[in-house]
Structures are given as C-alpha cells and as structure tokens.
Amino acid sequence: MSTSTRDSLRGNRPVDGIDFAATEFQRDPWPSYDWYREHEPVHLSQRYGAYFVFGYEHVRRVMTSPDFTAFHPFRVSRRAFGPTMLDQEGEHHARLRSAAAGPFRPRTATEFGRRVVAPLAERMLDDLLRQRRGDFVARLAERLPMAVVCHVMGLPDGDSGRLRDLMRPLVEYVDHGTVSLEQVVAARGELREYLRDALPADPGADGLLNALAENGTLSEADVVNTSVLLLAAGTETTAAGITNLLSRVAAEPEVFQRLGEDRSLVPAVVTETLRHEPPLHVTLRFASRDVALGGVDIPEGAPLQVVLASANRDPAVYPSPHVWDPERTARTPLTFGMGRHVCLGMGLAQQELEIVLHGVLDRVGELELSGGPLATAQGRTFRAVRDSECVYRLRSASDAGGTT
C-alpha cells in the first residue's frame, strides 16, 4: 500500500469498513486497524453482524473480564472440532485445560524442546538444505509443527503427513475458506476414528493422548476432541510463525549477521516478530451479559471479533508500532491471548521458533530473500508470509552439502 493511501486511511473512515475478503485489506490490514483503534475502537460491523474490538486495553479487557465468554453452542470452531476447551468455560474448561497441560508447563516444554524439537528441526534442516532448496522455509514450516505435535501426542512420526492432510479442511473452515461443511465432517470423522484406534492399550504409554485417556475425568469424546484441537492449534499458528520469522530475518541481512554473532538476541527477535506479524489476528468472544465497552452498549450474546493484532501495534503501548525493532522493550504482546483462555502451548511455540532460528544460524552464514522486499502476510484469521524463497550461503561445505 502506498504512503498516500495509508495516510488517507488514517485520516478518513475506511470506505468499506472491515472486509476480510477485500484485496487491499488482505494486502495490508494495518491502516484499517489504525483508524478504528483511534476513532472507533468498538465497531459494530453490519457486514459480519459482530462488534470488532481494537486497541490494547479494550482487547485486554475482553480477554480477561467475566463480562465476555468464549462459549457459544454454534460457533464455527465447534462445527470443525466439536466442543473443546477453546469454547468451554467454568469447571469443564478448567478440567480439560488441566488434563492437557502437562507437556506445556514451562520446565517440561524446555526439556521437550531440547530432547525432541531440536533434533527434529536439525534433521529437517539438514535434509532441506542438502537439497539446496530456496523454499526451505515453507517446507520446514509445513513439516516441523505436525511432527512436533505427533511427538507430544505420542503418535507415529510416519503419520504426520496424513494428519496434515486431514487437518487441512478443518483449519480452512475455521479460517472461513471455501471448504464445505460436508468435507469438514468427513475429515473430522476420519480423524476421530484414527485417534480412537491410536488410544494405547497399555497403561503408562508415552504421549498426551494416553495421558488424556487415563485422566479419569474425561469422556472419550473429550479425549478425541481435545486431541483434534491440539493437532490444529499446535500446527497452523506455529507454521505461520516459522515463515514470518525466517522471512523477516532474511529481509534483514544485518540483523541476521548480528544474530550469528550474538545468540542472546534470538528470544527478542522471536518475540518482536510475533508482536509485529502475529500468526493469529482475530479471536472470537461473546458478551455474557449486557455490557458497555469503549462507550458502546453491547447486548448479551452479541459476538465480538477481538483484533489481537491491533493490540500488538497500539502506539499507546508500543512506540513506533509499525517498525520491526528487536531491541524493543515493552509489555508482552497479546499474540497468544490473555486470561483463562491464553494459548496453552505458547511456551512450546516460542521454544520451537527459537530452536528453528538457532538451527538456521548454525548452518547458514548469509541469508537473504530472493524475490526482492519482504512480502506481506496473507490470510483472514491465520496470517503468514507465503511463497518466500531465499538465497543463502552455508557456513561450511559439510553443512547440508553446499551453497545455494
């Protein structure tokens, strides 16, 4: 988007409001987010029949206040995954979340990253770089997250490709793609059958699937639906995070060189990229009672599209918010949400991205985008840089087989 267009949007109300399908919005949603955050932070969209919420403080309130709930019997995620902790509240939500929390606790996630994620990433990077693939970023993002989730769940490595294919219609449906509900039902049925067959017969078997089955407080439907949710949640946003992260550092050769010299910068680079280009832009809530927000009266039951991405670039919290600045010091971004529904796997996701970046730095001495400037992310709910190809120089001839 040109500077003049961006400036005009900042001064004038966007003509078509929020329109996820619009080409200009897909290319660059940030000017619209800026305008609404400044002029109409709680906006009733006639197009979507929902209130849109912009800005750090308003988003934070919706995510943490009992005035708002994730529960609704007909929300899209339920049609895709079935009832899960994503859209439950109260005691049932707490029970589901507690049952699944084991692998994602900080100490466990750190150990899992060292023991499992790092070797997986190393093998995949060696294989992709040995092939001298310019699209190694996209290939890694496609393969690694599902392989990691399979290990978390205790599912065979060799099934990750099949599971990716089965998950695709469900994820596209949640992201309001063109996939039909009939396709979703068929894929979900096959997934559920696969997971029931995969339930271990031996007590004490490794993996979260068995831990859920042995929990004693969950029904078989709870176990299967939770597993389906984790297969989606642990892959789509992490895959987008990988492409956004590696595309960004490839677009900043000087930063990439600094990272090679000082690995202590890696966590900050990951955090800033998750703030600046979050893989998830919007999440859904409902008013649990009549409530006022930002001077707007919202009736009980009304849906709210909570724009997490707008909070991450709120100038009241992040000076020069549109600048990607890995030396930034500010409040934690709301990329993973906040409150009782904060992303369960956020620690493992951060670890996975840091491990991937370390793995690339171990092998690659120079990394740049091959197609010119960094492309903008694409997508409605899940947003990722697509089709980024890189040119790179390996650190030595023994590192994955040569130079591309």
Side-chain angles (χ1 to χ4, degrees), residues 312-324:
N312 281 2
R313 295 200 191 183
D314 189 334
V317 179
Y318 306 101
S320 302
H322 295 297
V323 176
W324 181 78

Side-chain angles (χ1 to χ4, degrees), residues 141 145-147 149 164 167 171 230-240:
M146 184 59 80
V149 174
R164 279 200 312 271
M167 286 304 308
V171 170
L230 293 173
L231 287 171
T235 53
E236 193 67 19
T237 54
T238 305

Side-chain angles (χ1 to χ4, degrees), residues 59-395:
V59 167
R60 182 179 182 278
R61 181 184 168 193
V62 174
M63 299 300 289
T64 58
S65 169
D67 292 336
F68 305 94
T69 178
F71 173 78
H72 192 282
F74 303 115
R75 63 180 289 172
V76 171
S77 63
R78 279 199 167 208
R79 296 200 293 271
F81 309 131
T84 67
M85 73 180 83
L86 183 67
D87 49 48
Q88 299 282 2
E89 294 287 5
E91 187 273 335
H92 195 191
H93 170 259
R95 186 169 71 252
L96 290 169
R97 190 176 174 95
S98 176
F104 306 111
R105 293 190 174 99
R107 184 175 297 178
T108 307
T110 299
E111 171 60 20
F112 186 83
R114 182 195 64 78
R115 181 174 53 84
V116 175
V117 180
L120 280 172
E122 288 168 5
R123 288 197 298 272
M124 289 185 186
L125 280 168
D126 286 342
D127 178 54
L128 291 166
L129 295 174
R130 186 177 296 114
Q131 297 176 45
R132 304 186 178 185
R133 299 196 68 115
D135 64 347
F136 81 91
V137 171
R139 294 282 182 166
L140 181 68
E142 178 186 27
R143 293 167 52 188
L144 180 62
M146 184 59 80
V148 170
V149 174
C150 282
H151 276 267
V152 170
M153 301 301 298
L155 300 172
D157 290 351
D159 289 351
S160 61
R162 177 190 177 194
L163 290 170
R164 279 200 312 271
D165 291 341
L166 287 173
M167 286 304 308
R168 179 50 40 196
L170 278 65
V171 170
E172 288 186 7
Y173 188 75
V174 170
D175 202 23
H176 303 271
T178 58
V179 64
S180 70
L181 183 57
E182 183 179 11
Q183 291 172 286
V184 170
V185 170
R188 187 182 63 212
E190 191 172 341
L191 271 168
R192 286 174 170 172
E193 183 178 357
Y194 168 90
L195 289 164
R196 290 189 187 101
D197 290 344
L199 286 170
D202 299 326
D206 289 338
L208 182 54
L209 181 63
N210 186 65
L212 293 171
E214 291 190 337
N215 178 268
T217 68
L218 306 182
S219 67
E220 182 182 89
D222 286 334
V223 172
V224 171
N225 289 346
T226 297
S227 300
V228 172
L229 173 65
L230 293 173
L231 287 171
T235 53
E236 193 67 19
T237 54
T238 305
I242 289 171
T243 59
N244 294 348
L245 172 66
L246 294 183
S247 298
R248 167 55 67 181
V249 296
E252 308 283 347
E254 292 183 3
V255 173
F256 188 79
Q257 291 298 320
R258 285 180 58 201
L259 286 166
E261 298 163 2
D262 184 359
R263 297 298 185 87
S264 70
L265 302 173
V266 165
V269 167
V270 170
T271 298
E272 173 65 356
T273 306
L274 287 169
R275 179 201 71 83
H276 187 263
E277 197 61 78
L280 179 69
H281 272 218
V282 180
T283 192
L284 183 63
R285 292 292 184 270
F286 300 87
S288 56
R289 57 180 66 89
D290 292 346
V291 62
L293 179 69
V296 176
D297 292 328
I298 300 174
E300 180 179 356
L304 296 94
Q305 295 284 356
V306 187
V307 188
L308 302 170
S310 77
N312 281 2
R313 295 200 191 183
D314 189 334
V317 179
Y318 306 101
S320 302
H322 295 297
V323 176
W324 181 78
D325 178 9
E327 296 183 0
R328 185 184 299 278
T329 57
R331 275 188 279 183
T332 302
L334 299 186
T335 301
F336 295 107
M338 181 176 277
R340 61 195 179 278
H341 283 278
V342 67
C343 175
L344 185 64
M346 61 183 292
L348 182 57
Q350 178 97 14
Q351 282 253 330
E352 197 167 333
L353 295 178
E354 291 180 15
I355 286 167
V356 163
L357 185 49
H358 277 294
V360 173
L361 290 165
D362 286 343
R363 291 159 176 76
V364 176
E366 295 176 6
L367 179 69
E368 295 184 20
L369 294 174
S370 61
L374 177 64
T376 57
Q378 300 175 39
R380 172 171 167 163
T381 302
F382 306 110
R383 289 183 61 89
V385 175
R386 313 287 182 189
D387 303 322
S388 283
E389 295 216 359
C390 299
V391 292
Y392 52 90
R393 179 185 59 78
L394 295 167
R395 289 194 175 276

Side-chain angles (χ1 to χ4, degrees), residues 17-22 45-52 176 303 305 380:
I18 297 294
D19 183 1
F20 288 120
S45 168
Q46 299 300 328
R47 174 180 284 111
Y48 295 108
Y51 292 86
F52 280 72
H176 303 271
Q305 295 284 356
R380 172 171 167 163

